Amino acid sequence: MKSRQKLLNLTAIILAVLVAAVVIWGCTQGANPLHMQVSDGIKQIDLDTIYLKSSGVEVSFADVILSRQNETRKLVVSTQNGTVTTKLTDRLINKLDFDFMKKTQNMSYTGTGYFVVDLDNLTAANVIEDKDRKTVTIRIGHAYLQAIEIDPNNIIIDDVKESLLARGNIELTLADYNAIERELRSRLEEKFDTAANGQAADELALRMVREIYEPVIKAIDRRYSVIVEFK
């Protein structure tokens, strides 16, 4: 009986030691021994492309830039202000050009010309990524004079300069006014659409387009820089 009792006591001691060892090991593994692997279904290919496993859709630099076309279809990069003047002449006898037989009147138009860059024509071929240099090059068209706006409040009609034999106002018909407006608008276009103004607008276009898209590119990958050049 004593041998059996000793055997039971020894077995109890061994079990107690094993339990204590298990408890000590569990404590050393931390309070949260349960480890789980969680997947959101998004695989990072590289820093500029996200691959959605479920749909196979890739989001790249070109996709993001082209998706913003509705926001920046025509970018106004430069405005020019100018005034042109024409002299109206009314002769007493049309074929006789003597000062004492004619009256004159000056009419001035002031307008604003808008130079724009078309961004709605951008395609994926115009967005070039260089992974080695970490650059995105965007190729745009040159700036051009897109519109001329004439302020009706800045149309100035001077007083009539009468002569010895030509007196009174210069009477103009609606057709006369339309012809005068076409002439002055054409002269404003010539005044605005010069090589110097076009060069200045091009330089502004390169800077402004880069300022628009660089934050977008850096939001995808801050290591990339943006280069804008003409097609």
Side-chain angles (χ1 to χ4, degrees), residues 100-231:
F100 64 89
M101 297 182 66
K102 64 184 179 183
K103 51 189 174 182
T104 61
Q105 186 178 32
N106 288 334
M107 181 177 293
S108 301
Y109 273 37
T110 297
T112 302
Y114 296 90
F115 286 84
V116 304
V117 170
D118 284 331
L119 297 180
D120 52 349
N121 291 329
L122 286 177
T123 65
N126 303 134
V127 182
I128 304 166
E129 177 189 354
D130 188 326
K131 292 182 180 294
D132 295 329
R133 296 171 56 198
K134 294 294 184 290
T135 62
V136 175
T137 300
I138 303 173
R139 292 178 175 170
I140 63 174
H142 286 275
Y144 65 93
L145 182 64
Q146 193 263 340
I148 295 176
E149 182 180 88
I150 295 176
D151 185 353
N153 296 320
N154 284 334
I155 298 176
I156 301 174
I157 303 176
D158 294 341
D159 294 333
V160 176
K161 290 184 179 181
E162 301 174 328
S163 65
L164 181 62
L165 299 180
R167 299 287 181 175
N169 295 326
I170 296 178
E171 301 296 335
L172 297 174
T173 65
L174 179 59
D176 292 331
Y177 279 111
N178 290 336
I180 292 169
E181 181 178 355
R182 286 195 300 271
E183 171 65 20
L184 293 179
R185 184 179 290 273
S186 176
R187 289 173 58 186
L188 277 173
E189 182 175 352
E190 292 176 359
K191 188 180 185 72
F192 295 144
D193 200 9
T194 64
N197 287 343
Q199 178 65 32
D202 273 348
E203 292 175 0
L204 288 169
L206 294 175
R207 176 174 60 83
M208 293 176 68
V209 173
R210 181 174 59 80
E211 290 176 352
I212 288 175
Y213 289 117
E214 192 162 53
V216 179
I217 298 302
K218 287 191 174 295
I220 300 174
D221 188 339
R222 60 184 178 81
R223 299 174 302 169
Y224 274 74
S225 59
V226 176
I227 300 171
V228 182
E229 62 184 29
F230 294 111
K231 298 177 184 178

